[in-house]
Amino acid sequence: AGSQRKKRRIETLTGPVFAGHDLGLPPWPTVEGWLKNPQPPQAITPLSSIDPERKFPDLPVLNNYTDDPGAHFWDLFPTHELPLKISSDVDSGYLSQLLEKHRDALPARIISMGNRTLKNLRSGADLNAAQSLPGGTFKNATSAHKNGRQFTDTLASWVAKGYVSGPFLTPPFPDLRINRLMVVEQRTKVRPILDLSYPDSDCINSRLQEVTLRKVVMSSAAEVGFSIKDIGPSAILCKMDWKDAFKTIPIDLNSLRLQGFSWLGRIFIENRLIFGSAKSVSDFDDFAEVVARLAAAEANFPFRWTHRTLDDLPATGSPSSNI
């Protein structure tokens, strides 16, 4: 029964629903063959064994990324002081104007998301539910040291952009929480994550989840397909992606002490939303949804043809639309 349900779901995308429209999707027998005889995935060369182009080539490549490399290394490393006020690359004033301009045409929940977004841009997203947690120091994951060269380059670029403050020799807050740092390898880059779910006994995320967090709903490949069918054979597709997506939203000054980490014997503070926080996803989703809605309204574009999945925004449209 389960196999038949799966077959019907996939036939929806490969069979009669799109009759007459070649989407480049494989026929069902091919898909069924993949399901019955899965092949092992092709090996991907680990990032740790290749040398991608570095943003800071003047930084020496170290023999290990565990110990403090010394003064010469840090003299070449960018620095950024702790923020004294909230700042963002987003023009919150213009966003507010657009929200007011299209207020009557937007659902009430989008207005609420817009108000939360303006608050976060102007006052910083907060981690208030975790403020009662004490400071502490937690050891980095092995994955961070394994990908130390790539992470160090990424960290230097974030410091240069003001997304991260540091490096500091001593904690800039008396009750600083130095979180566990981990790194996930992706095809062309590494993804640094502050593990706010560590330790299991009493962590930042457990405190945040005690407060009801908004459920984030994303689009799907099926919904993109239905839009293509709705438009017809002349459908045009495009895709937009936020650069440094989470870094568009600042953190409020009182929450900075909860976003510390250590690297190579120095201390750093994340000034923006981070990967690893249970609250970051909904905070960024508010912003991205409001911007997508306002962009569609400004262009008089049917919002039902947009299919956002957090920071990725595929859209379909007819040649006569303002896609």
Side-chain angles (χ1 to χ4, degrees):
S3 177
Q4 287 300 313
R5 286 195 298 271
K6 182 181 291 184
K7 178 177 178 179
R8 286 195 296 271
R9 285 199 304 272
I10 299 179
E11 281 180 330
T12 299
L13 291 178
T14 59
V17 171
F18 295 117
H21 305 299
D22 181 10
L23 302 181
L25 296 170
W28 166 247
T30 301
V31 176
E32 190 172 38
W34 292 342
L35 296 174
K36 291 181 177 179
N37 302 290
Q39 299 297 314
Q42 184 177 357
I44 299 174
T45 303
L47 279 173
S48 54
S49 65
I50 62 176
D51 191 11
E53 183 177 349
R54 294 193 297 157
K55 302 178 183 68
F56 284 80
D58 292 339
L59 286 178
V61 175
L62 306 176
N63 292 326
N64 74 76
Y65 285 86
T66 304
D67 304 324
D68 189 329
H72 173 68
F73 178 90
W74 293 115
D75 286 344
L76 299 172
F77 203 89
T79 63
H80 190 80
E81 297 297 323
L82 284 172
L84 299 178
K85 61 180 182 179
I86 299 298
S87 65
S88 171
D89 299 329
V90 179
D91 187 339
S92 63
Y94 183 53
L95 187 66
S96 179
Q97 291 175 23
L98 290 178
L99 196 63
E100 190 60 35
K101 175 181 177 181
H102 297 286
R103 176 177 293 273
D104 293 340
L106 295 172
R109 69 179 184 87
I110 302 301
I111 299 300
S112 296
M113 294 167 77
N115 291 335
R116 288 196 299 267
T117 293
L118 290 173
K119 176 265 177 190
N120 285 344
L121 291 173
R122 292 168 174 172
S123 303
D126 67 72
L127 300 175
N128 287 342
Q131 284 291 0
S132 60
L133 277 174
T137 300
F138 304 99
K139 185 178 179 181
N140 290 337
T142 303
S143 60
H145 303 296
K146 177 185 175 184
N147 296 281
R149 177 163 47 85
Q150 292 83 8
F151 171 67
T152 300
D153 191 56
T154 298
L155 175 58
S157 71
W158 285 0
V159 172
K161 293 175 181 177
Y163 299 160
V164 173
S165 291
F168 302 104
L169 272 170
T170 58
F173 302 107
D175 53 353
L176 177 65
R177 196 167 177 94
I178 299 178
N179 298 284
R180 180 176 183 257
L181 172 69
M182 55 192 297
V183 171
V184 174
E185 294 183 12
Q186 298 179 312
R187 286 184 178 272
T188 59
K189 62 181 181 180
V190 296
R191 174 79 70 187
I193 298 174
L194 284 194
D195 188 0
L196 301 195
S197 294
Y198 187 89
D200 294 337
S201 56
D202 194 11
C203 62
I204 293 175
N205 278 342
S206 67
R207 296 293 184 91
L208 295 177
Q209 289 164 349
E210 290 174 1
V211 179
T212 302
L213 297 177
R214 183 178 66 80
K215 183 179 180 180
V216 173
V217 179
M218 302 186 193
S219 188
S220 67
E223 290 176 326
V224 175
F226 292 134
S227 287
I228 295 172
K229 180 179 181 293
D230 184 29
I231 297 164
S234 62
I236 299 171
L237 286 83
C238 69
K239 177 182 174 294
M240 293 149 281
D241 186 10
W242 285 98
K243 181 178 174 60
D244 294 334
F246 279 17
K247 305 310 178 190
T248 55
I249 308 294
I251 289 293
D252 82 304
L253 301 184
N254 290 329
S255 296
L256 290 177
R257 74 165 192 90
L258 295 171
Q259 294 201 163
F261 65 95
S262 64
W263 187 244
L264 300 179
R266 295 294 191 273
I267 295 170
F268 296 87
I269 308 292
E270 286 260 21
N271 301 326
R272 307 292 178 96
L273 292 185
I274 62 169
F275 279 90
S277 168
K279 192 168 177 285
S280 290
V281 176
S282 58
D283 280 339
F284 176 78
D285 190 69
D286 281 346
F287 168 69
E289 179 72 5
V290 168
V291 170
R293 290 272 184 168
L294 292 176
E298 282 285 285
N300 195 27
F301 182 79
F303 186 75
R304 69 181 184 278
W305 290 345
T306 66
H307 301 285
R308 191 177 58 82
T309 54
L310 205 57
D311 60 331
D312 292 308
L313 181 59
T316 59
S318 64
S320 61
S321 69
N322 293 326
I323 189 169

